[in-house]
Amino acid sequence: MNRIASYTEEEVRDILGNARIRSDKIDGRIAETLTMIRTGEADSRKNPIRSIGQRRRRKRSLWKNAAKGFGAVAAVLLLVLGLCAVNPALAAEIPVVGNIFEKVRDVFSFGRMPEDEVTELGKNGVSGEPGPEDQSTEEEVGKSVQDSGFSITFTQYYATDQAVYLGVCVESEEELPELAKMGETGYQLMQMHMKQKYSFREDVISSAWPVEGVQEDAHTFVGIMRIDYEEISVDARRYDEACEEAERKGEPLPEINENTRDYWLDEIEVPDAFEVDMQIYRIWAYSSELTGKYEKSGEWNFSFQIAQSDQGIRSVSVGEVNEQGIGIDRIELSPVELSVLTVEPKGRSIYTAVLDADGLAIPTGNAYWTDDGAKCEMMIGRHDISVITVYLCDYDAYMEIDKTLMTPGAFREELEHLALWKKEISLEKE
């Protein structure tokens, strides 16, 4: 087996963390990151070009200041391609689309969506039951768009106050390469480059979102795209314009850090309900052999109405800080993820590690700087989070340890040694 055909969750975060800010630089950033992975130089929280994530204000927020941060990974959108429409000769061999959330729940990093809160998409991308002129069978659910030998169908979504998860199926006339498996769950990955127009902001966003899922056969990929609100609640137009001017003059790009981010970035609140128009123009993925990038260009346009669910959303206040100024403000929870909001001294880089009730490490997703510290998103999956143990470690010291072959017990011992702040926290409802 090729020794780099499978990636760890940490490596995936480094790979995808660069695909957010300036779409014309994505390919170069990906190549740079792969090189950094091989040479051990990857450092996802110190790259200023990633720092356009920004935390939106919420009604439930306990902080007065909005947090603005560095997105490290994108999370997840489901695309569904109807191969039957693209290639009728293969129709008899193609399974009914069905519930994509259920199909990929065992590999999707964030785990299983709560069934009662999932919204089916009608044929026009509209939420809820189809009307008299929009009767959809199970095979026809959602909206399909065909171009360049590909059919993409969005079928359902689940939205919290943290992110929206979209179910997708991609089917191709030509055979797809076998895609590399990644992360602790062995999911396969596609990347969708798109332009997005949200009803709550004036500008158009260009970004690339990863889709975690599985290949059902040589022509079909199903998965989930997670759109993190932290990454769509930032207006970075001033920064983009400054970067373009610097490039024209051959000057260094302006840096975004804790002192300059308020100047370059504006915060936009994500409402409880909104509309989004998407224009997907490029799809790519790495094959299991890593011989190159599989790529397909085209135009697939979609419109969706999204409404957030508030079921299972809660906040657990901690409010403890040690003499070094390191600690936790609170834990934010949804049925599929938890976020640790830390307090950190200015200029100090802290890594947040969390163990579940069984002592197993909970995979980390995005990490964002805030005015007071950081917001670190964790993927609940199948982890028992009735009780968690949070370790705040020096970032550089944590990155120096070799975690590849470490047992859970040895990992806990290492965290006990490294921790600058530690606390066991009960998350069971009172």
Side-chain angles (χ1 to χ4, degrees), residues 8-218:
T8 67
E9 199 69 46
E10 191 169 300
E11 289 169 343
V12 175
R13 290 198 304 275
D14 282 327
I15 291 172
L16 298 179
N18 295 297
R20 282 289 183 273
I21 300 188
R22 300 174 59 77
S23 59
D24 58 341
K25 299 186 182 298
I26 289 173
D27 292 342
R29 290 290 182 181
I30 292 294
E32 285 178 20
T33 305
L34 285 172
T35 301
M36 293 167 66
I37 289 171
R38 295 186 180 96
T39 58
E41 298 175 359
D43 186 344
S44 63
R45 285 184 64 187
K46 293 187 177 180
N47 188 344
I49 198 65
R50 298 180 185 169
S51 53
I52 66 163
Q54 183 177 26
R55 184 178 183 278
R56 68 191 180 100
R57 288 189 177 93
R58 300 185 182 88
K59 296 177 182 178
R60 285 183 285 275
S61 177
L62 301 180
W63 288 358
K64 294 182 180 179
N65 295 327
K68 305 165 181 98
F70 297 2
V73 71
V76 185
L77 170 61
L78 280 175
L79 287 170
V80 180
L81 286 174
L83 182 57
C84 297
V86 178
N87 192 342
L90 296 175
E93 301 177 11
I94 302 303
V96 173
V97 168
N99 187 330
I100 294 177
F101 287 168
E102 289 297 306
K103 288 185 177 185
V104 302
R105 68 181 185 182
D106 290 335
V107 299
F108 183 49
S109 296
F110 285 84
R112 183 172 186 170
M113 306 294 121
E115 295 180 8
D116 293 343
E117 300 302 314
V118 172
T119 300
E120 301 299 325
L121 292 170
K123 293 182 71 175
N124 295 318
V126 177
S127 307
E129 295 297 326
E133 298 181 359
D134 187 27
Q135 297 297 328
S136 300
T137 66
E138 185 177 17
E139 294 91 336
E140 298 171 335
V141 70
K143 180 181 180 182
S144 296
V145 177
Q146 303 169 25
D147 192 25
S148 302
F150 268 61
S151 176
I152 299 178
T153 307
F154 286 84
T155 60
Q156 57 199 152
Y157 79 85
Y158 169 60
T160 70
D161 65 343
Q162 305 271 331
V164 57
Y165 301 82
L166 285 158
V168 186
C169 172
V170 178
E171 291 174 313
S172 170
E173 284 183 323
E174 62 186 21
E175 284 195 8
L176 300 170
E178 181 182 354
L179 303 184
K181 293 185 177 181
M182 303 184 177
E184 69 170 14
T185 61
Y187 64 83
Q188 292 167 297
L189 181 74
M190 278 192 173
Q191 191 90 338
M192 305 287 167
H193 294 244
M194 66 179 72
K195 295 180 180 179
Q196 304 144 80
K197 178 66 177 73
Y198 292 90
S199 58
F200 55 85
R201 55 186 299 166
E202 299 176 352
D203 58 329
V204 175
I205 304 174
S206 294
S207 58
W209 295 104
V211 182
E212 289 184 21
V214 295
Q215 282 182 278
E216 291 196 312
D217 54 48

Side-chain angles (χ1 to χ4, degrees), residues 211-284:
V211 182
E212 289 184 21
V214 295
Q215 282 182 278
E216 291 196 312
D217 54 48
H219 298 267
T220 310
F221 174 85
V222 296
I224 300 176
M225 179 185 287
R226 177 181 179 271
I227 298 180
D228 193 329
Y229 296 157
E230 302 289 354
E231 302 197 29
I232 62 173
S233 62
V234 174
D235 184 345
R237 283 179 287 181
R238 283 199 305 274
Y239 179 74
D240 290 340
E241 292 171 359
C243 286
E244 291 173 0
E245 183 176 356
E247 288 174 340
R248 285 195 300 268
K249 296 179 178 179
E251 299 175 350
L253 299 181
E255 181 180 354
I256 296 180
N257 54 43
E258 60 189 20
N259 298 316
T260 64
R261 64 192 180 207
D262 287 338
Y263 176 77
W264 291 120
L265 308 175
D266 291 323
E267 175 193 1
I268 301 173
E269 182 175 356
V270 178
D272 294 339
F274 57 89
E275 296 180 4
V276 57
D277 297 327
M278 293 181 179
Q279 182 187 79
I280 301 170
Y281 58 87
R282 189 154 66 100
I283 302 170
W284 66 257

Side-chain angles (χ1 to χ4, degrees), residues 355-359 362 380-388 428:
L355 302 185
D356 66 11
D358 300 315
I362 301 177
I380 293 176
R382 295 186 174 183
H383 289 270
D384 180 354
I385 62 164
S386 57
V387 177
I388 62 172
E428 289 189 318

